Amino acid sequence: MKKTFGAFVLTSVLLLVACSTETEQKEDNLVTLQENHVPFELAIPSHFPDMVIPKDNPLTVAKVELGKQLFFDPSLSVDGSVSCASCHLPSKAFSDVLAVSQGVKGAVTERNSPSLMNIGFHPIFMREGAVPTLELQVLSPLEGETEMAHNIVLACERLNQDSTYRARFQEVFGQSATPFTLTRAIAAYERTLIGGDAPFDAYLLGDSTALTPLQQQGYALFTSDRLACSSCHSGVLLSSFALEHNGLKPRDTDPGLMRLTLNEADRGKFKVPSLRNIALTAPYMHDGRFASLEAVIEHYNKGGDGVTNQDERIRSLSLQEDEKEALLAFFDALTEASGKGE
Ligand code: HEC
Ligand code: HEC
Protein backbone atom coordinates (compact mmCIF):
# COMPACT_ATOMS: atom_id res chain seq x y z
CA MET A 1 0.00 0.00 0.00
CA LYS A 2 1.21 3.47 -0.77
CA LYS A 3 2.50 5.10 2.40
CA THR A 4 0.59 8.30 3.11
CA PHE A 5 2.38 11.54 3.72
CA GLY A 6 1.01 11.71 7.28
CA ALA A 7 2.48 8.30 7.99
CA PHE A 8 5.83 9.50 6.68
CA VAL A 9 5.89 12.52 8.97
CA LEU A 10 4.86 10.41 11.96
CA THR A 11 7.49 7.75 11.30
CA SER A 12 10.13 10.41 10.81
CA VAL A 13 9.34 12.21 14.02
CA LEU A 14 9.21 8.99 16.03
CA LEU A 15 12.44 7.75 14.52
CA LEU A 16 14.44 10.89 15.00
CA VAL A 17 13.21 11.41 18.54
CA ALA A 18 13.99 7.77 19.31
CA CYS A 19 17.39 8.17 17.70
CA SER A 20 18.39 11.19 19.68
CA THR A 21 17.53 9.57 23.03
CA GLU A 22 19.42 6.48 22.00
CA THR A 23 22.51 8.45 21.21
CA GLU A 24 22.32 10.92 24.07
CA GLN A 25 24.57 8.89 26.33
CA LYS A 26 27.12 8.79 23.56
CA GLU A 27 26.93 12.51 22.98
CA ASP A 28 30.04 13.34 25.04
CA ASN A 29 32.01 10.72 23.16
CA LEU A 30 30.75 12.07 19.89
CA VAL A 31 31.77 15.64 20.64
CA THR A 32 35.28 14.60 21.74
CA LEU A 33 35.62 12.48 18.64
CA GLN A 34 34.52 15.30 16.38
CA GLU A 35 36.89 17.73 18.05
CA ASN A 36 39.74 15.43 17.06
CA HIS A 37 38.60 15.39 13.46
CA VAL A 38 39.70 17.65 10.65
CA PRO A 39 36.87 20.15 10.11
CA PHE A 40 35.56 20.49 6.56
CA GLU A 41 35.95 24.08 5.42
CA LEU A 42 32.98 25.03 3.25
CA ALA A 43 33.91 27.17 0.25
CA ILE A 44 31.06 29.70 0.62
CA PRO A 45 31.41 32.52 -1.94
CA SER A 46 31.61 35.98 -0.36
CA HIS A 47 28.32 37.12 -1.90
CA PHE A 48 26.37 34.05 -0.66
CA PRO A 49 24.40 33.98 2.60
CA ASP A 50 25.74 32.12 5.63
CA MET A 51 24.88 28.46 5.93
CA VAL A 52 23.27 27.24 9.11
CA ILE A 53 25.00 24.04 10.25
CA PRO A 54 23.10 22.15 12.96
CA LYS A 55 25.04 21.90 16.24
CA ASP A 56 24.69 18.12 16.29
CA ASN A 57 26.20 17.76 12.84
CA PRO A 58 29.48 19.66 12.46
CA LEU A 59 31.19 19.08 9.11
CA THR A 60 34.35 17.02 9.13
CA VAL A 61 36.36 15.81 6.16
CA ALA A 62 35.78 12.15 7.02
CA LYS A 63 32.04 12.63 7.56
CA VAL A 64 31.57 14.40 4.23
CA GLU A 65 33.48 11.58 2.47
CA LEU A 66 31.30 8.96 4.13
CA GLY A 67 28.16 10.91 3.22
CA LYS A 68 29.30 11.11 -0.39
CA GLN A 69 29.90 7.37 -0.54
CA LEU A 70 26.40 6.76 0.86
CA PHE A 71 24.82 9.23 -1.57
CA PHE A 72 26.15 7.22 -4.52
CA ASP A 73 25.48 3.77 -3.01
CA PRO A 74 22.47 1.85 -4.41
CA SER A 75 22.62 -0.59 -1.48
CA LEU A 76 20.60 1.99 0.47
CA SER A 77 17.55 0.98 -1.58
CA VAL A 78 15.57 -2.15 -0.73
CA ASP A 79 16.74 -4.14 -3.76
CA GLY A 80 20.12 -2.45 -4.23
CA SER A 81 19.11 -0.83 -7.53
CA VAL A 82 18.71 2.88 -6.80
CA SER A 83 20.99 5.44 -5.12
CA CYS A 84 20.31 9.08 -4.28
CA ALA A 85 22.36 9.93 -7.37
CA SER A 86 20.01 7.88 -9.61
CA CYS A 87 17.52 10.75 -9.38
CA HIS A 88 19.96 13.53 -8.49
CA LEU A 89 22.47 13.38 -11.37
CA PRO A 90 25.75 15.25 -10.68
CA SER A 91 25.98 16.35 -14.35
CA LYS A 92 22.49 17.91 -14.13
CA ALA A 93 23.13 19.99 -11.02
CA PHE A 94 21.91 16.97 -9.04
CA SER A 95 18.44 16.96 -10.64
CA ASP A 96 16.83 14.38 -12.96
CA VAL A 97 16.20 14.36 -16.70
CA LEU A 98 12.82 12.64 -16.28
CA ALA A 99 9.61 14.60 -15.69
CA VAL A 100 9.00 12.44 -12.64
CA SER A 101 11.76 10.21 -11.28
CA GLN A 102 11.81 6.42 -11.18
CA GLY A 103 12.55 4.51 -8.02
CA VAL A 104 12.98 0.79 -7.31
CA LYS A 105 11.39 -1.72 -9.71
CA GLY A 106 10.37 1.03 -12.13
CA ALA A 107 8.07 2.70 -9.58
CA VAL A 108 7.23 6.25 -10.59
CA THR A 109 7.43 9.16 -8.15
CA GLU A 110 4.80 11.86 -8.36
CA ARG A 111 7.19 14.78 -8.56
CA ASN A 112 10.14 16.09 -10.49
CA SER A 113 13.48 15.73 -8.72
CA PRO A 114 14.84 19.18 -7.76
CA SER A 115 18.48 20.24 -8.09
CA LEU A 116 20.54 19.77 -4.94
CA MET A 117 23.16 22.41 -5.82
CA ASN A 118 23.38 24.95 -2.97
CA ILE A 119 20.78 22.92 -1.06
CA GLY A 120 22.48 23.67 2.28
CA PHE A 121 21.24 27.27 2.01
CA HIS A 122 17.56 26.28 1.77
CA PRO A 123 15.49 26.86 4.92
CA ILE A 124 12.88 24.21 4.02
CA PHE A 125 12.77 21.12 1.85
CA MET A 126 10.43 19.35 -0.53
CA ARG A 127 8.14 20.95 -3.05
CA GLU A 128 5.55 21.87 -0.41
CA GLY A 129 8.25 22.76 2.12
CA ALA A 130 7.17 20.13 4.64
CA VAL A 131 10.60 19.04 5.86
CA PRO A 132 12.68 21.37 8.08
CA THR A 133 16.18 19.83 7.89
CA LEU A 134 18.37 17.93 5.45
CA GLU A 135 18.90 15.27 8.12
CA LEU A 136 15.17 14.57 8.36
CA GLN A 137 14.76 14.75 4.58
CA VAL A 138 16.93 11.64 4.06
CA LEU A 139 14.14 9.49 5.50
CA SER A 140 11.71 10.48 2.78
CA PRO A 141 13.50 8.93 -0.23
CA LEU A 142 14.95 6.07 1.82
CA GLU A 143 11.52 4.91 2.98
CA GLY A 144 9.36 6.25 0.14
CA GLU A 145 7.61 3.36 -1.62
CA THR A 146 8.28 4.84 -5.06
CA GLU A 147 11.88 5.81 -4.30
CA MET A 148 14.20 3.50 -2.34
CA ALA A 149 11.37 1.62 -0.57
CA HIS A 150 13.62 0.61 2.30
CA ASN A 151 13.35 0.86 6.07
CA ILE A 152 16.03 2.95 7.72
CA VAL A 153 16.68 0.48 10.52
CA LEU A 154 17.15 -2.36 8.03
CA ALA A 155 19.28 -0.12 5.80
CA CYS A 156 21.58 0.50 8.79
CA GLU A 157 21.71 -3.22 9.57
CA ARG A 158 22.80 -3.88 6.00
CA LEU A 159 25.53 -1.21 6.20
CA ASN A 160 26.78 -2.66 9.48
CA GLN A 161 27.23 -6.06 7.84
CA ASP A 162 29.88 -4.48 5.64
CA SER A 163 33.19 -4.29 7.50
CA THR A 164 34.42 -1.25 5.57
CA TYR A 165 31.27 0.76 6.35
CA ARG A 166 31.40 -0.42 9.99
CA ALA A 167 34.95 0.88 10.29
CA ARG A 168 34.13 4.19 8.60
CA PHE A 169 31.08 4.88 10.79
CA GLN A 170 33.19 4.04 13.88
CA GLU A 171 35.91 6.39 12.71
CA VAL A 172 33.49 9.27 12.03
CA PHE A 173 30.90 8.87 14.79
CA GLY A 174 32.43 6.41 17.29
CA GLN A 175 29.45 4.15 16.67
CA SER A 176 27.93 2.01 13.95
CA ALA A 177 25.45 3.08 11.27
CA THR A 178 22.22 4.15 12.97
CA PRO A 179 19.34 6.27 11.68
CA PHE A 180 21.04 9.16 13.49
CA THR A 181 24.54 8.72 12.01
CA LEU A 182 23.34 7.71 8.53
CA THR A 183 21.18 10.81 8.13
CA ARG A 184 23.93 13.07 9.55
CA ALA A 185 26.57 11.79 7.13
CA ILE A 186 24.40 12.23 4.03
CA ALA A 187 23.21 15.69 5.09
CA ALA A 188 26.83 16.75 5.75
CA TYR A 189 27.78 15.79 2.19
CA GLU A 190 24.77 17.63 0.73
CA ARG A 191 25.88 20.86 2.46
CA THR A 192 29.11 20.77 0.47
CA LEU A 193 27.27 21.05 -2.88
CA ILE A 194 27.99 24.75 -3.32
CA GLY A 195 28.35 26.64 -6.59
CA GLY A 196 28.69 30.39 -6.94
CA ASP A 197 30.97 30.38 -9.97
CA ALA A 198 28.44 31.12 -12.73
CA PRO A 199 28.94 34.11 -15.09
CA PHE A 200 26.08 35.72 -13.10
CA ASP A 201 28.25 35.53 -9.97
CA ALA A 202 31.21 37.19 -11.67
CA TYR A 203 28.79 39.91 -12.80
CA LEU A 204 27.40 40.39 -9.28
CA LEU A 205 30.95 40.60 -7.97
CA GLY A 206 31.66 43.53 -10.28
CA ASP A 207 32.84 42.13 -13.63
CA SER A 208 30.44 43.96 -15.94
CA THR A 209 31.69 42.02 -18.97
CA ALA A 210 30.77 38.61 -17.44
CA LEU A 211 27.28 38.86 -18.97
CA THR A 212 26.74 39.51 -22.68
CA PRO A 213 24.57 42.55 -23.54
CA LEU A 214 21.65 40.17 -24.26
CA GLN A 215 22.09 38.48 -20.88
CA GLN A 216 22.17 41.89 -19.19
CA GLN A 217 18.93 42.78 -20.97
CA GLY A 218 17.47 39.49 -19.67
CA TYR A 219 18.58 40.28 -16.12
CA ALA A 220 17.03 43.75 -16.34
CA LEU A 221 13.73 42.24 -17.52
CA PHE A 222 13.88 39.57 -14.83
CA THR A 223 14.19 42.18 -12.09
CA SER A 224 11.79 44.72 -13.67
CA ASP A 225 8.47 45.67 -12.04
CA ARG A 226 6.77 44.64 -15.26
CA LEU A 227 7.88 40.98 -15.08
CA ALA A 228 8.41 40.80 -11.29
CA CYS A 229 10.27 37.47 -11.60
CA SER A 230 12.76 38.50 -8.93
CA SER A 231 10.02 39.22 -6.41
CA CYS A 232 9.78 35.43 -5.99
CA HIS A 233 13.09 34.31 -7.51
CA SER A 234 14.99 36.75 -5.33
CA GLY A 235 18.49 37.26 -4.02
CA VAL A 236 21.71 35.58 -4.96
CA LEU A 237 20.12 32.10 -4.88
CA LEU A 238 17.22 33.34 -7.03
CA SER A 239 14.59 32.12 -4.60
CA SER A 240 12.67 33.54 -1.66
CA PHE A 241 12.03 29.90 -0.62
CA ALA A 242 8.45 30.97 0.08
CA LEU A 243 5.46 28.86 -0.91
CA GLU A 244 3.83 30.58 -3.86
CA HIS A 245 1.28 29.94 -6.61
CA ASN A 246 2.85 30.63 -10.00
CA GLY A 247 -0.32 30.07 -11.99
CA LEU A 248 0.00 26.37 -12.84
CA LYS A 249 -3.25 24.44 -12.85
CA PRO A 250 -2.51 21.89 -10.13
CA ARG A 251 -3.15 18.19 -10.67
CA ASP A 252 -5.83 16.68 -8.43
CA THR A 253 -3.26 14.32 -6.96
CA ASP A 254 -0.88 17.05 -5.82
CA PRO A 255 -2.34 20.11 -4.06
CA GLY A 256 1.12 21.36 -2.99
CA LEU A 257 1.18 23.24 0.32
CA MET A 258 -2.44 22.29 0.94
CA ARG A 259 -1.22 18.76 1.55
CA LEU A 260 0.37 20.11 4.71
CA THR A 261 -2.16 22.72 5.85
CA LEU A 262 -5.38 21.19 4.47
CA ASN A 263 -6.33 24.78 3.63
CA GLU A 264 -7.95 25.31 0.20
CA ALA A 265 -6.18 28.68 -0.06
CA ASP A 266 -2.88 26.76 -0.26
CA ARG A 267 -3.87 24.52 -3.16
CA GLY A 268 -1.29 24.83 -5.93
CA LYS A 269 1.34 26.60 -3.81
CA PHE A 270 4.85 25.22 -4.13
CA LYS A 271 8.30 26.17 -2.86
CA VAL A 272 9.87 28.78 -5.15
CA PRO A 273 12.78 26.93 -6.82
CA SER A 274 16.25 28.44 -7.06
CA LEU A 275 16.97 29.20 -10.71
CA ARG A 276 20.70 28.49 -10.37
CA ASN A 277 21.74 25.97 -13.07
CA ILE A 278 18.26 26.22 -14.58
CA ALA A 279 19.61 25.52 -18.10
CA LEU A 280 20.75 22.09 -16.83
CA THR A 281 17.68 20.99 -14.91
CA ALA A 282 14.94 20.35 -17.50
CA PRO A 283 12.15 19.34 -17.29
CA TYR A 284 10.58 22.04 -15.13
CA MET A 285 8.04 22.61 -12.32
CA HIS A 286 7.02 20.25 -9.51
CA ASP A 287 5.69 17.66 -11.94
CA GLY A 288 8.13 18.27 -14.78
CA ARG A 289 5.28 19.40 -17.04
CA PHE A 290 7.41 21.75 -19.15
CA ALA A 291 10.18 20.17 -21.23
CA SER A 292 11.94 23.43 -22.05
CA LEU A 293 12.61 26.92 -20.76
CA GLU A 294 10.79 28.27 -23.82
CA ALA A 295 7.65 26.55 -22.50
CA VAL A 296 8.21 28.05 -19.04
CA ILE A 297 8.49 31.53 -20.54
CA GLU A 298 5.29 30.95 -22.53
CA HIS A 299 3.53 30.00 -19.29
CA TYR A 300 4.49 33.30 -17.63
CA ASN A 301 3.95 35.27 -20.84
CA LYS A 302 0.32 34.19 -21.13
CA GLY A 303 -0.26 35.06 -17.45
CA GLY A 304 -0.44 31.50 -16.15
CA ASP A 305 -3.42 29.16 -16.36
CA GLY A 306 -5.71 31.70 -14.67
CA VAL A 307 -6.67 29.44 -11.77
CA THR A 308 -7.86 29.95 -8.19
CA ASN A 309 -5.12 31.02 -5.76
CA GLN A 310 -2.90 32.23 -8.63
CA ASP A 311 -0.62 35.01 -7.41
CA GLU A 312 -1.51 38.46 -8.75
CA ARG A 313 2.06 38.92 -10.01
CA ILE A 314 1.40 36.21 -12.61
CA ARG A 315 -0.32 38.20 -15.36
CA SER A 316 -0.12 38.51 -19.12
CA LEU A 317 3.26 40.01 -20.09
CA SER A 318 3.09 40.54 -23.89
CA LEU A 319 6.79 39.71 -24.28
CA GLN A 320 8.47 40.55 -27.59
CA GLU A 321 10.58 37.83 -29.28
CA ASP A 322 13.83 39.60 -28.39
CA GLU A 323 12.71 39.79 -24.75
CA LYS A 324 12.12 36.04 -24.65
CA GLU A 325 15.59 35.51 -26.12
CA ALA A 326 17.07 37.83 -23.54
CA LEU A 327 15.47 35.87 -20.69
CA LEU A 328 16.76 32.59 -22.15
CA ALA A 329 20.24 34.07 -22.47
CA PHE A 330 20.10 35.24 -18.85
CA PHE A 331 19.19 31.69 -17.76
CA ASP A 332 22.38 30.44 -19.47
CA ALA A 333 24.41 32.81 -17.30
CA LEU A 334 23.22 30.93 -14.18
CA THR A 335 25.14 27.71 -14.91
CA GLU A 336 27.78 26.82 -12.32
CA ALA A 337 30.83 24.71 -13.23
CA SER A 338 30.11 22.35 -10.33
CA GLY A 339 26.49 22.06 -11.53
CA LYS A 340 27.84 20.34 -14.64
CA GLY A 341 29.73 17.88 -12.47
CA GLU A 342 33.06 19.66 -13.09
C1 HEC B 1 13.48 7.82 -7.08
C2 HEC B 1 14.09 9.13 -7.22
C3 HEC B 1 14.76 9.76 -6.02
C4 HEC B 1 15.70 9.19 -5.19
C5 HEC B 1 16.25 7.77 -5.22
C6 HEC B 1 16.09 10.22 -4.27
N1 HEC B 1 15.42 11.39 -4.55
FE1 HEC B 1 15.62 13.16 -3.58
N2 HEC B 1 14.00 13.86 -4.53
C7 HEC B 1 13.30 13.20 -5.52
C8 HEC B 1 12.07 13.91 -5.79
C9 HEC B 1 11.02 13.50 -6.80
C10 HEC B 1 12.05 15.01 -4.90
C11 HEC B 1 10.91 16.02 -4.72
C12 HEC B 1 10.05 15.40 -3.64
C13 HEC B 1 8.94 16.24 -3.09
O1 HEC B 1 8.97 17.44 -3.19
O2 HEC B 1 7.99 15.64 -2.54
C14 HEC B 1 13.28 14.95 -4.15
C15 HEC B 1 13.65 15.91 -3.19
C16 HEC B 1 14.85 15.89 -2.51
C17 HEC B 1 15.32 16.94 -1.63
C18 HEC B 1 14.61 18.25 -1.35
C19 HEC B 1 15.04 19.29 -2.36
C20 HEC B 1 14.38 20.62 -2.20
O3 HEC B 1 14.65 21.51 -3.02
O4 HEC B 1 13.58 20.83 -1.28
C21 HEC B 1 16.52 16.53 -1.14
C22 HEC B 1 17.42 17.30 -0.19
C23 HEC B 1 16.78 15.21 -1.68
N3 HEC B 1 15.75 14.86 -2.51
C24 HEC B 1 17.87 14.43 -1.34
C25 HEC B 1 17.92 13.06 -1.62
C26 HEC B 1 18.80 12.11 -0.95
C27 HEC B 1 19.83 12.47 0.11
C28 HEC B 1 18.55 10.88 -1.47
C29 HEC B 1 19.14 9.55 -1.08
C30 HEC B 1 19.01 9.16 0.32
C31 HEC B 1 17.50 11.06 -2.48
N4 HEC B 1 17.14 12.38 -2.52
C32 HEC B 1 17.00 10.04 -3.26
C33 HEC B 1 13.69 12.05 -6.15
C34 HEC B 1 14.58 11.13 -5.59
C1 HEC C 1 4.55 34.57 -7.41
C2 HEC C 1 5.88 34.04 -7.39
C3 HEC C 1 6.60 33.80 -8.71
C4 HEC C 1 6.83 34.72 -9.71
C5 HEC C 1 6.42 36.17 -9.76
C6 HEC C 1 7.60 34.01 -10.71
N1 HEC C 1 7.80 32.72 -10.33
FE1 HEC C 1 8.86 31.34 -11.36
N2 HEC C 1 8.27 29.92 -10.04
C7 HEC C 1 7.51 30.14 -8.91
C8 HEC C 1 7.19 28.87 -8.30
C9 HEC C 1 6.38 28.67 -7.03
C10 HEC C 1 7.74 27.88 -9.12
C11 HEC C 1 7.67 26.37 -8.93
C12 HEC C 1 6.30 25.84 -9.30
C13 HEC C 1 6.26 24.33 -9.25
O1 HEC C 1 7.08 23.71 -8.60
O2 HEC C 1 5.40 23.76 -9.91
C14 HEC C 1 8.43 28.59 -10.20
C15 HEC C 1 9.13 27.97 -11.22
C16 HEC C 1 9.88 28.61 -12.18
C17 HEC C 1 10.78 27.99 -13.10
C18 HEC C 1 11.05 26.49 -13.18
C19 HEC C 1 12.04 26.09 -12.10
C20 HEC C 1 12.27 24.62 -12.00
O3 HEC C 1 13.33 24.26 -11.45
O4 HEC C 1 11.45 23.82 -12.42
C21 HEC C 1 11.35 28.96 -13.87
C22 HEC C 1 12.39 28.78 -14.96
C23 HEC C 1 10.78 30.20 -13.44
N3 HEC C 1 9.89 29.96 -12.41
C24 HEC C 1 11.06 31.44 -14.00
C25 HEC C 1 10.34 32.59 -13.71
C26 HEC C 1 10.37 33.80 -14.51
C27 HEC C 1 11.20 33.99 -15.75
C28 HEC C 1 9.50 34.67 -13.92
C29 HEC C 1 9.10 36.05 -14.40
C30 HEC C 1 8.52 36.10 -15.72
C31 HEC C 1 8.95 34.01 -12.75
N4 HEC C 1 9.46 32.75 -12.68
C32 HEC C 1 8.05 34.60 -11.89
C33 HEC C 1 7.13 31.36 -8.41
C34 HEC C 1 7.19 32.54 -9.12
Side-chain angles (χ1 to χ4, degrees):
M1 211 180 78
K2 199 170 181 284
K3 194 181 281 182
T4 65
F5 183 72
F8 157 67
V9 172
L10 191 65
T11 331
S12 326
V13 170
L14 289 178
L15 261 169
L16 288 206
V17 170
C19 299
S20 40
T21 357
E22 225 170 68
T23 48
E24 237 161 51
Q25 71 235 38
K26 297 189 176 159
E27 213 171 77
D28 290 346
N29 267 351
L30 204 66
V31 171
T32 332
L33 198 74
Q34 280 163 345
E35 276 171 2
N36 293 335
H37 277 187
V38 184
F40 187 98
E41 300 295 344
L42 284 177
I44 300 182
S46 59
H47 60 305
F48 268 40
D50 284 340
M51 194 186 291
V52 181
I53 311 283
K55 282 208 177 60
D56 69 1
N57 199 15
L59 299 188
T60 68
V61 172
K63 193 193 286 178
V64 167
E65 258 170 39
L66 174 59
K68 181 173 184 182
Q69 190 180 351
L70 292 163
F71 188 89
F72 288 92
D73 190 344
S75 79
L76 288 188
S77 64
V78 72
D79 61 358
S81 65
V82 169
S83 74
C84 306
S86 305
C87 305
H88 298 285
L89 309 172
S91 61
K92 301 289 174 192
F94 295 87
S95 71
D96 199 353
V97 292
L98 300 172
V100 290
S101 302
Q102 277 180 15
V104 294
K105 303 187 188 91
V108 180
T109 59
E110 60 173 358
R111 288 181 175 165
N112 177 255
S113 160
S115 162
L116 301 186
M117 279 303 294
N118 309 299
I119 194 75
F121 298 101
H122 293 213
I124 48 166
F125 305 95
M126 310 306 255
R127 300 265 186 196
E128 77 293 292
V131 178
T133 66
L134 280 175
E135 282 77 3
L136 192 57
Q137 195 283 332
V138 174
L139 279 157
S140 172
L142 199 75
E143 300 221 338
E145 294 287 312
T146 57
E147 291 172 81
M148 300 166 112
H150 212 167
N151 166 295
I152 195 161
V153 177
L154 299 180
C156 290
E157 272 175 23
R158 187 186 287 169
L159 289 170
N160 289 327
Q161 280 160 15
D162 179 304
S163 58
T164 318
Y165 265 127
R166 237 184 8 247
R168 298 206 70 190
F169 271 95
Q170 277 297 336
E171 181 201 336
V172 175
F173 295 104
Q175 55 182 296
S176 58
T178 65
F180 184 88
T181 56
L182 172 64
T183 54
R184 259 99 206 132
I186 294 180
Y189 166 62
E190 290 179 284
R191 293 196 174 95
T192 68
L193 305 176
I194 298 176
D197 54 4
F200 178 58
D201 295 298
Y203 186 78
L204 288 181
L205 291 169
D207 177 0
S208 59
T209 62
L211 298 191
T212 65
L214 193 61
Q215 289 173 333
Q216 294 184 34
Q217 188 196 337
Y219 183 37
L221 280 165
F222 187 82
T223 49
S224 67
D225 288 343
R226 179 178 146 228
L227 270 64
C229 312
S230 62
S231 65
C232 289
H233 301 282
S234 56
V236 70
L237 295 169
L238 301 149
S239 175
S240 62
F241 301 113
L243 283 300
E244 302 279 6
H245 196 310
N246 73 337
L248 297 172
K249 186 174 187 299
R251 290 174 204 270
D252 292 342
T253 47
D254 194 348
L257 178 60
M258 184 188 155
R259 184 182 277 187
L260 197 61
T261 62
L262 305 178
N263 184 348
E264 267 299 332
D266 292 331
R267 184 184 290 278
K269 288 189 182 166
F270 289 92
K271 177 178 159 189
V272 175
S274 165
L275 300 188
R276 286 191 163 265
N277 300 297
I278 194 71
L280 299 173
T281 63
Y284 302 102
M285 305 301 175
H286 67 277
D287 53 5
R289 72 177 65 183
F290 297 134
S292 67
L293 285 168
E294 284 85 349
V296 172
I297 291 178
E298 256 348 292
H299 166 78
Y300 286 110
N301 191 31
K302 74 172 188 191
D305 295 331
V307 285
T308 327
N309 297 340
Q310 175 170 321
D311 193 281
E312 60 187 16
R313 286 164 287 183
I314 312 297
R315 56 197 176 217
S316 176
L317 298 173
S318 311
L319 291 170
Q320 305 297 308
E321 285 313 308
D322 69 309
E323 292 179 321
K324 294 180 192 172
E325 272 170 40
L327 281 172
L328 287 171
F330 171 61
F331 290 150
D332 277 336
L334 304 176
T335 306
E336 301 169 331
S338 33
K340 292 183 279 188
E342 284 167 10

